[in-house]
Amino acid sequence: MIDWLDEFRSPEFPDTSRALEEPEGLLAAGGHLSPTWLDCAYRKGIFPWNDPDEARLWWTPMPRAVILPETFRIPKRIAREVRNTDLRVTANLDFKGVIKGCMAPRADSEGTWIDDEIIDNYPRLHNAGRAISIECWDKSGALCGGFYGLSIGRILFGESMFTKHSGASKVAFATAAPLLFELGFEMIDCQMRTSHLERFGIIELDRPEFESRLHAGVNKPAPSPLPGVLK
């Protein structure tokens, strides 16, 4: 049994230790997707994820897949792609374009979890300096890939990525991640292990270690912002 959250009250999530084992990490339902609710949730390691026609669901799965500065790596093949590509990589120039790119149907998926509420509210967090986008542009100047995530303190919560050009999301991540760590980010929360990001040095943390790193990181001053042009 999970709690139903009242969207008309201030956000108050159950303790994360109450997350279900099956389905793994499900904590609560209901609530609201305003910037205030999202900020409160992510600070606790909780994020929304559900089909657009379902009730809002909140998750905190464990173990947690993360990339740390000391585990991050770029495989030689991808480093070579980054050096040789003619794709251009930027930061925070088209947040809404990136999130809409992530919303588009994919060949390996029947649908998307990104709904109109996310499209409305995450850009508000971006405008407040609490979310970032990394864009990849082709030679014609068209947006062809990238990723976005929430940024609180020194933690980046990776949300979604997309590609319309072979390798564009890999180039975007391999270009931006080293700069994020150089600026002072202490952890990229990938939520769950994926083969796409595993090559960049994902490790899995248990709940006590993840939440210890999380709570320390979100309460530190935010690093300087990325420059507009990364590559």
Side-chain angles (χ1 to χ4, degrees):
M1 181 69 69
I2 58 172
D3 289 358
W4 183 269
L5 307 178
D6 186 345
E7 66 178 297
F8 298 107
R9 299 181 63 181
S10 298
E12 187 172 338
F13 291 92
D15 190 277
T16 55
S17 64
R18 293 176 55 190
L20 299 183
E21 294 183 5
E22 182 60 41
E24 169 60 42
L26 180 59
L27 181 67
H32 190 45
L33 213 66
S34 69
T36 299
W37 274 78
L38 290 169
D39 184 77
C40 178
Y42 280 84
R43 285 176 177 274
K44 298 176 182 293
I46 302 164
F47 58 88
W49 183 56
N50 51 271
D51 290 337
D53 57 351
E54 293 180 338
R56 181 68 59 201
L57 300 176
W58 301 90
W59 302 78
T60 176
M62 291 294 152
R64 196 64 161 247
V66 304
I67 301 175
L68 306 176
E70 61 267 29
T71 69
F72 175 69
R73 63 177 184 268
I74 302 177
K76 291 180 179 179
R77 184 176 60 81
I78 295 177
R80 192 161 52 246
E81 287 182 42
V82 173
R83 287 195 303 270
N84 297 332
T85 186
D86 54 10
L87 297 175
R88 186 167 64 97
V89 182
T90 62
N92 299 314
L93 297 190
D94 191 359
F95 185 89
K96 207 153 195 177
V98 170
I99 200 170
K100 286 184 175 179
C102 294
M103 184 183 188
R106 309 182 187 204
D108 60 349
S109 176
E110 295 182 356
T112 178
W113 58 273
I114 299 174
D115 59 19
D116 290 339
E117 273 195 285
I118 289 175
I119 291 290
D120 289 342
N121 284 287
Y122 281 68
R124 293 169 63 190
L125 286 165
H126 178 254
N127 293 338
R130 290 293 181 88
I132 69 167
S133 63
I134 305 297
E135 304 89 12
C136 218
W137 310 86
D138 65 20
K139 289 188 293 185
S140 71
L143 183 64
C144 65
F147 68 93
Y148 77 97
L150 270 65
S151 169
I152 303 177
R154 295 180 180 260
I155 308 297
L156 177 67
F157 302 88
E159 281 296 294
S160 188
M161 53 177 53
F162 81 103
T163 185
K164 295 180 179 178
H165 181 290
S166 178
S169 61
K170 288 186 296 184
V171 168
F173 190 81
T175 300
L179 299 175
L180 291 165
F181 287 130
E182 286 176 18
L183 287 171
F185 279 89
E186 298 177 355
M187 184 167 68
I188 297 177
D189 175 24
C190 304
Q191 299 174 351
M192 291 169 282
R193 183 185 289 271
T194 67
S195 58
H196 185 71
L197 288 175
E198 191 168 21
R199 68 196 83 181
F200 292 104
I202 278 181
I203 62 170
E204 291 183 322
L205 302 180
D206 61 19
R207 189 174 298 282
E209 183 173 1
F210 170 75
E211 293 187 350
S212 175
R213 288 177 178 269
L214 172 72
H215 296 155
V218 297
N219 289 307
K220 292 180 180 178
S224 300
L226 286 165
V229 177
L230 306 185
K231 183 184 181 305

mmCIF file with all atom_site columns, all heavy atoms in Angstrom, residues 11 20 24 39 54 91 133 143 159 165 182-183 198 201:
data_model
loop_
_atom_site.group_PDB
_atom_site.id
_atom_site.type_symbol
_atom_site.label_atom_id
_atom_site.label_alt_id
_atom_site.label_comp_id
_atom_site.label_asym_id
_atom_site.label_entity_id
_atom_site.label_seq_id
_atom_site.pdbx_PDB_ins_code
_atom_site.Cartn_x
_atom_site.Cartn_y
_atom_site.Cartn_z
_atom_site.occupancy
_atom_site.B_iso_or_equiv
_atom_site.pdbx_formal_charge
_atom_site.auth_seq_id
_atom_site.auth_comp_id
_atom_site.auth_asym_id
_atom_site.auth_atom_id
_atom_site.pdbx_PDB_model_num
ATOM 1   N N   . PRO A 1 11  ? 3.894  19.937 -0.243  1.00 0.00 ? 11  PRO A N   1
ATOM 2   C CA  . PRO A 1 11  ? 4.452  18.606 -0.496  1.00 0.00 ? 11  PRO A CA  1
ATOM 3   C C   . PRO A 1 11  ? 5.007  17.969 0.768   1.00 0.00 ? 11  PRO A C   1
ATOM 4   O O   . PRO A 1 11  ? 5.783  18.574 1.496   1.00 0.00 ? 11  PRO A O   1
ATOM 5   C CB  . PRO A 1 11  ? 5.565  18.887 -1.513  1.00 0.00 ? 11  PRO A CB  1
ATOM 6   C CG  . PRO A 1 11  ? 5.879  20.337 -1.377  1.00 0.00 ? 11  PRO A CG  1
ATOM 7   C CD  . PRO A 1 11  ? 4.599  20.994 -0.978  1.00 0.00 ? 11  PRO A CD  1
ATOM 8   N N   . LEU A 1 20  ? 8.192  0.572  -2.017  1.00 0.00 ? 20  LEU A N   1
ATOM 9   C CA  . LEU A 1 20  ? 7.881  -0.835 -2.229  1.00 0.00 ? 20  LEU A CA  1
ATOM 10  C C   . LEU A 1 20  ? 9.058  -1.580 -2.854  1.00 0.00 ? 20  LEU A C   1
ATOM 11  O O   . LEU A 1 20  ? 9.869  -1.004 -3.575  1.00 0.00 ? 20  LEU A O   1
ATOM 12  C CB  . LEU A 1 20  ? 6.665  -0.963 -3.156  1.00 0.00 ? 20  LEU A CB  1
ATOM 13  C CG  . LEU A 1 20  ? 5.343  -0.340 -2.692  1.00 0.00 ? 20  LEU A CG  1
ATOM 14  C CD1 . LEU A 1 20  ? 4.252  -0.634 -3.723  1.00 0.00 ? 20  LEU A CD1 1
ATOM 15  C CD2 . LEU A 1 20  ? 4.933  -0.855 -1.317  1.00 0.00 ? 20  LEU A CD2 1
ATOM 16  N N   . GLU A 1 24  ? 9.658  -2.093 -7.770  1.00 0.00 ? 24  GLU A N   1
ATOM 17  C CA  . GLU A 1 24  ? 10.834 -1.579 -7.081  1.00 0.00 ? 24  GLU A CA  1
ATOM 18  C C   . GLU A 1 24  ? 10.850 -0.057 -7.023  1.00 0.00 ? 24  GLU A C   1
ATOM 19  O O   . GLU A 1 24  ? 10.874 0.617  -8.049  1.00 0.00 ? 24  GLU A O   1
ATOM 20  C CB  . GLU A 1 24  ? 12.103 -2.073 -7.792  1.00 0.00 ? 24  GLU A CB  1
ATOM 21  C CG  . GLU A 1 24  ? 13.395 -1.412 -7.333  1.00 0.00 ? 24  GLU A CG  1
ATOM 22  C CD  . GLU A 1 24  ? 13.679 -1.625 -5.856  1.00 0.00 ? 24  GLU A CD  1
ATOM 23  O OE1 . GLU A 1 24  ? 13.469 -2.751 -5.378  1.00 0.00 ? 24  GLU A OE1 1
ATOM 24  O OE2 . GLU A 1 24  ? 14.089 -0.665 -5.196  1.00 0.00 ? 24  GLU A OE2 1
ATOM 25  N N   . ASP A 1 39  ? 11.038 20.270 -6.552  1.00 0.00 ? 39  ASP A N   1
ATOM 26  C CA  . ASP A 1 39  ? 12.236 20.591 -5.779  1.00 0.00 ? 39  ASP A CA  1
ATOM 27  C C   . ASP A 1 39  ? 12.273 19.765 -4.493  1.00 0.00 ? 39  ASP A C   1
ATOM 28  O O   . ASP A 1 39  ? 13.301 19.187 -4.135  1.00 0.00 ? 39  ASP A O   1
ATOM 29  C CB  . ASP A 1 39  ? 12.262 22.082 -5.452  1.00 0.00 ? 39  ASP A CB  1
ATOM 30  C CG  . ASP A 1 39  ? 13.531 22.487 -4.727  1.00 0.00 ? 39  ASP A CG  1
ATOM 31  O OD1 . ASP A 1 39  ? 14.583 22.621 -5.380  1.00 0.00 ? 39  ASP A OD1 1
ATOM 32  O OD2 . ASP A 1 39  ? 13.474 22.668 -3.487  1.00 0.00 ? 39  ASP A OD2 1
ATOM 33  N N   . GLU A 1 54  ? -1.972 7.707  -16.644 1.00 0.00 ? 54  GLU A N   1
ATOM 34  C CA  . GLU A 1 54  ? -2.037 7.143  -15.299 1.00 0.00 ? 54  GLU A CA  1
ATOM 35  C C   . GLU A 1 54  ? -2.012 8.253  -14.251 1.00 0.00 ? 54  GLU A C   1
ATOM 36  O O   . GLU A 1 54  ? -1.680 9.401  -14.545 1.00 0.00 ? 54  GLU A O   1
ATOM 37  C CB  . GLU A 1 54  ? -0.836 6.226  -15.042 1.00 0.00 ? 54  GLU A CB  1
ATOM 38  C CG  . GLU A 1 54  ? -0.813 4.961  -15.864 1.00 0.00 ? 54  GLU A CG  1
ATOM 39  C CD  . GLU A 1 54  ? 0.413  4.132  -15.537 1.00 0.00 ? 54  GLU A CD  1
ATOM 40  O OE1 . GLU A 1 54  ? 1.404  4.681  -15.022 1.00 0.00 ? 54  GLU A OE1 1
ATOM 41  O OE2 . GLU A 1 54  ? 0.375  2.927  -15.809 1.00 0.00 ? 54  GLU A OE2 1
ATOM 42  N N   . ALA A 1 91  ? 24.920 24.432 -24.268 1.00 0.00 ? 91  ALA A N   1
ATOM 43  C CA  . ALA A 1 91  ? 24.215 24.250 -22.992 1.00 0.00 ? 91  ALA A CA  1
ATOM 44  C C   . ALA A 1 91  ? 23.168 25.338 -22.811 1.00 0.00 ? 91  ALA A C   1
ATOM 45  O O   . ALA A 1 91  ? 23.447 26.522 -23.018 1.00 0.00 ? 91  ALA A O   1
ATOM 46  C CB  . ALA A 1 91  ? 25.214 24.290 -21.826 1.00 0.00 ? 91  ALA A CB  1
ATOM 47  N N   . SER A 1 133 ? 19.884 21.976 -19.863 1.00 0.00 ? 133 SER A N   1
ATOM 48  C CA  . SER A 1 133 ? 19.765 21.187 -21.088 1.00 0.00 ? 133 SER A CA  1
ATOM 49  C C   . SER A 1 133 ? 21.093 21.228 -21.824 1.00 0.00 ? 133 SER A C   1
ATOM 50  O O   . SER A 1 133 ? 21.819 22.229 -21.775 1.00 0.00 ? 133 SER A O   1
ATOM 51  C CB  . SER A 1 133 ? 18.645 21.727 -21.989 1.00 0.00 ? 133 SER A CB  1
ATOM 52  O OG  . SER A 1 133 ? 18.920 23.054 -22.414 1.00 0.00 ? 133 SER A OG  1
ATOM 53  N N   . LEU A 1 143 ? 18.461 20.917 -34.308 1.00 0.00 ? 143 LEU A N   1
ATOM 54  C CA  . LEU A 1 143 ? 18.648 20.198 -33.053 1.00 0.00 ? 143 LEU A CA  1
ATOM 55  C C   . LEU A 1 143 ? 18.503 18.706 -33.332 1.00 0.00 ? 143 LEU A C   1
ATOM 56  O O   . LEU A 1 143 ? 17.460 18.252 -33.810 1.00 0.00 ? 143 LEU A O   1
ATOM 57  C CB  . LEU A 1 143 ? 17.599 20.659 -32.036 1.00 0.00 ? 143 LEU A CB  1
ATOM 58  C CG  . LEU A 1 143 ? 17.683 20.061 -30.634 1.00 0.00 ? 143 LEU A CG  1
ATOM 59  C CD1 . LEU A 1 143 ? 18.985 20.465 -29.940 1.00 0.00 ? 143 LEU A CD1 1
ATOM 60  C CD2 . LEU A 1 143 ? 16.480 20.512 -29.799 1.00 0.00 ? 143 LEU A CD2 1
ATOM 61  N N   . GLU A 1 159 ? 17.498 13.263 -16.450 1.00 0.00 ? 159 GLU A N   1
ATOM 62  C CA  . GLU A 1 159 ? 16.105 12.912 -16.685 1.00 0.00 ? 159 GLU A CA  1
ATOM 63  C C   . GLU A 1 159 ? 15.895 12.093 -17.959 1.00 0.00 ? 159 GLU A C   1
ATOM 64  O O   . GLU A 1 159 ? 15.365 11.012 -17.924 1.00 0.00 ? 159 GLU A O   1
ATOM 65  C CB  . GLU A 1 159 ? 15.249 14.189 -16.734 1.00 0.00 ? 159 GLU A CB  1
ATOM 66  C CG  . GLU A 1 159 ? 14.937 14.750 -15.364 1.00 0.00 ? 159 GLU A CG  1
ATOM 67  C CD  . GLU A 1 159 ? 14.084 13.775 -14.557 1.00 0.00 ? 159 GLU A CD  1
ATOM 68  O OE1 . GLU A 1 159 ? 12.935 13.515 -14.920 1.00 0.00 ? 159 GLU A OE1 1
ATOM 69  O OE2 . GLU A 1 159 ? 14.595 13.251 -13.558 1.00 0.00 ? 159 GLU A OE2 1
ATOM 70  N N   . HIS A 1 165 ? 20.257 11.858 -34.634 1.00 0.00 ? 165 HIS A N   1
ATOM 71  C CA  . HIS A 1 165 ? 21.467 11.683 -35.424 1.00 0.00 ? 165 HIS A CA  1
ATOM 72  C C   . HIS A 1 165 ? 22.307 10.639 -34.707 1.00 0.00 ? 165 HIS A C   1
ATOM 73  O O   . HIS A 1 165 ? 22.497 10.714 -33.498 1.00 0.00 ? 165 HIS A O   1
ATOM 74  C CB  . HIS A 1 165 ? 22.214 13.012 -35.528 1.00 0.00 ? 165 HIS A CB  1
ATOM 75  C CG  . HIS A 1 165 ? 23.471 12.963 -36.329 1.00 0.00 ? 165 HIS A CG  1
ATOM 76  N ND1 . HIS A 1 165 ? 24.611 12.306 -35.916 1.00 0.00 ? 165 HIS A ND1 1
ATOM 77  C CD2 . HIS A 1 165 ? 23.774 13.508 -37.536 1.00 0.00 ? 165 HIS A CD2 1
ATOM 78  C CE1 . HIS A 1 165 ? 25.555 12.450 -36.814 1.00 0.00 ? 165 HIS A CE1 1
ATOM 79  N NE2 . HIS A 1 165 ? 25.076 13.170 -37.814 1.00 0.00 ? 165 HIS A NE2 1
ATOM 80  N N   . GLU A 1 182 ? 34.176 19.146 -13.556 1.00 0.00 ? 182 GLU A N   1
ATOM 81  C CA  . GLU A 1 182 ? 35.200 20.167 -13.340 1.00 0.00 ? 182 GLU A CA  1
ATOM 82  C C   . GLU A 1 182 ? 34.634 21.382 -12.608 1.00 0.00 ? 182 GLU A C   1
ATOM 83  O O   . GLU A 1 182 ? 35.322 22.005 -11.787 1.00 0.00 ? 182 GLU A O   1
ATOM 84  C CB  . GLU A 1 182 ? 35.791 20.603 -14.683 1.00 0.00 ? 182 GLU A CB  1
ATOM 85  C CG  . GLU A 1 182 ? 36.723 19.594 -15.316 1.00 0.00 ? 182 GLU A CG  1
ATOM 86  C CD  . GLU A 1 182 ? 37.194 20.031 -16.685 1.00 0.00 ? 182 GLU A CD  1
ATOM 87  O OE1 . GLU A 1 182 ? 37.085 21.250 -16.992 1.00 0.00 ? 182 GLU A OE1 1
ATOM 88  O OE2 . GLU A 1 182 ? 37.655 19.175 -17.461 1.00 0.00 ? 182 GLU A OE2 1
ATOM 89  N N   . LEU A 1 183 ? 33.392 21.711 -12.884 1.00 0.00 ? 183 LEU A N   1
ATOM 90  C CA  . LEU A 1 183 ? 32.764 22.863 -12.231 1.00 0.00 ? 183 LEU A CA  1
ATOM 91  C C   . LEU A 1 183 ? 32.449 22.589 -10.762 1.00 0.00 ? 183 LEU A C   1
ATOM 92  O O   . LEU A 1 183 ? 32.252 23.533 -9.994  1.00 0.00 ? 183 LEU A O   1
ATOM 93  C CB  . LEU A 1 183 ? 31.485 23.251 -12.970 1.00 0.00 ? 183 LEU A CB  1
ATOM 94  C CG  . LEU A 1 183 ? 31.662 23.927 -14.329 1.00 0.00 ? 183 LEU A CG  1
ATOM 95  C CD1 . LEU A 1 183 ? 30.317 24.057 -15.041 1.00 0.00 ? 183 LEU A CD1 1
ATOM 96  C CD2 . LEU A 1 183 ? 32.300 25.304 -14.162 1.00 0.00 ? 183 LEU A CD2 1
ATOM 97  N N   . GLU A 1 198 ? 26.013 3.080  -18.968 1.00 0.00 ? 198 GLU A N   1
ATOM 98  C CA  . GLU A 1 198 ? 26.895 2.205  -18.209 1.00 0.00 ? 198 GLU A CA  1
ATOM 99  C C   . GLU A 1 198 ? 28.353 2.375  -18.636 1.00 0.00 ? 198 GLU A C   1
ATOM 100 O O   . GLU A 1 198 ? 29.276 2.314  -17.827 1.00 0.00 ? 198 GLU A O   1
ATOM 101 C CB  . GLU A 1 198 ? 26.468 0.759  -18.388 1.00 0.00 ? 198 GLU A CB  1
ATOM 102 C CG  . GLU A 1 198 ? 27.154 -0.209 -17.448 1.00 0.00 ? 198 GLU A CG  1
ATOM 103 C CD  . GLU A 1 198 ? 26.485 -1.567 -17.465 1.00 0.00 ? 198 GLU A CD  1
ATOM 104 O OE1 . GLU A 1 198 ? 25.783 -1.872 -18.457 1.00 0.00 ? 198 GLU A OE1 1
ATOM 105 O OE2 . GLU A 1 198 ? 26.643 -2.316 -16.497 1.00 0.00 ? 198 GLU A OE2 1
ATOM 106 N N   . GLY A 1 201 ? 30.712 4.853  -16.679 1.00 0.00 ? 201 GLY A N   1
ATOM 107 C CA  . GLY A 1 201 ? 31.176 4.656  -15.313 1.00 0.00 ? 201 GLY A CA  1
ATOM 108 C C   . GLY A 1 201 ? 30.104 4.642  -14.247 1.00 0.00 ? 201 GLY A C   1
ATOM 109 O O   . GLY A 1 201 ? 30.353 5.042  -13.110 1.00 0.00 ? 201 GLY A O   1
#
